Amino acid sequence: MTVAATPGAAKVPAAVPADKGGHAFPWKALLPIAVTVVLALFPPPEGLAQHAWYFFAIFAGVIVGLMLEPLPGAAIGLIGVALVTILAPYVLFGPADLAKAGFKPANAGLTWALSGFSNSTVWLIFAAFMFALGYEKTGLGRRISLGLVKVMGKRTLTLGYAVAIADLLLAPFTPSNTARSGGTVYPVIRNLPALYDSKPNDPSSRRIGGYLMWTDIVTTCVTS
């Protein structure tokens, strides 16, 4: 016998799934701090100055933070540099340096922190990735990709030649592999697989996407 449900019948409320991420223990953020503190509490190895050991402890904490990524890598790096700069009298300079007449650890620490930004290679990589962002925002990378397909897109082999030749021509003028491949060539070729219905993280990626990416990687190793 079948019993029909009446409109007034009581309804059992559906179970609301618990929010697991809201109260998760922030171990990824605490572990780099714990590594730094624990290493700093240990005595330095024989032959290593105390301030150098403290610097190593902060460095190890930054490496652990970059591995776990509780924050973006750039933020973790800046936190490490800022921490060393603030603690410069204890982690950058020894007693001999601090005893020098007229020595100012705060100014010397700030000079150390900013010295990396005077490196021309760092600015080259930064400029290349700014160009890469411009390729993406303006659609220039897609237009260049369409032009490559129009001229050399009849065969996948010719597209591979185009990627290799572009990397080879840029190599003498852009010596940094990161700036050349990651900031100039990749923003263009990343638009090519989609034109052939080849998508990342998908079985279709083996059609042409994987081929082009590996071609660029191997070419970079040869032209570097």
Side-chain angles (χ1 to χ4, degrees):
M1 182 176 65
T2 303
V3 179
T6 59
K11 297 182 179 180
V12 178
V16 179
D19 186 8
K20 297 182 179 180
H23 303 284
F25 186 76
W27 64 271
K28 288 186 177 182
L30 295 179
L31 187 58
I33 300 174
V35 169
T36 301
V37 173
V38 170
L39 286 177
L41 292 177
F42 276 96
E46 184 178 356
L48 188 66
Q50 185 67 54
H51 71 279
W53 179 249
Y54 288 153
F55 184 90
F56 171 75
I58 296 176
F59 175 77
V62 170
I63 295 300
V64 174
L66 291 175
M67 293 170 60
L68 300 178
E69 290 190 337
L71 295 173
I76 295 174
L78 286 176
I79 291 174
V81 172
L83 185 60
V84 171
T85 304
I86 295 171
L87 301 177
Y90 310 101
V91 300
L92 277 182
F93 310 109
D97 295 321
L98 297 174
K100 293 179 181 178
F103 181 77
K104 298 180 179 180
N107 293 342
L110 185 60
T111 301
W112 171 86
L114 298 178
S115 61
F117 296 98
S118 63
N119 191 319
S120 59
T121 303
V122 174
W123 285 107
L124 178 64
I125 296 173
F126 174 78
F129 276 93
M130 288 300 100
F131 278 118
L133 185 62
Y135 287 148
E136 181 179 356
K137 294 297 183 181
T138 62
L140 179 61
R142 179 174 175 81
R143 291 196 293 271
I144 296 176
S145 300
L146 290 172
L148 285 174
V149 171
K150 181 180 179 181
V151 177
M152 308 181 70
K154 294 181 180 180
R155 300 172 61 188
T156 56
L157 182 62
T158 55
L159 280 177
Y161 283 148
V163 172
I165 292 172
D167 201 300
L168 178 63
L169 293 177
L170 288 172
F173 309 101
T174 314
S176 170
N177 292 346
T178 305
R180 183 175 68 255
S181 299
T184 307
V185 179
Y186 174 74
V188 175
I189 66 173
R190 71 186 293 269
N191 293 281
L192 288 172
L195 301 176
Y196 295 88
D197 199 24
S198 179
K199 303 175 182 179
N201 301 321
D202 187 82
S204 62
S205 63
R206 298 184 61 85
R207 294 179 187 170
I208 189 174
Y211 161 72
L212 289 177
M213 296 304 167
W214 276 108
T215 300
D216 184 39
I217 292 173
V218 173
T219 304
T220 301
C221 295
V222 174
T223 58
S224 60

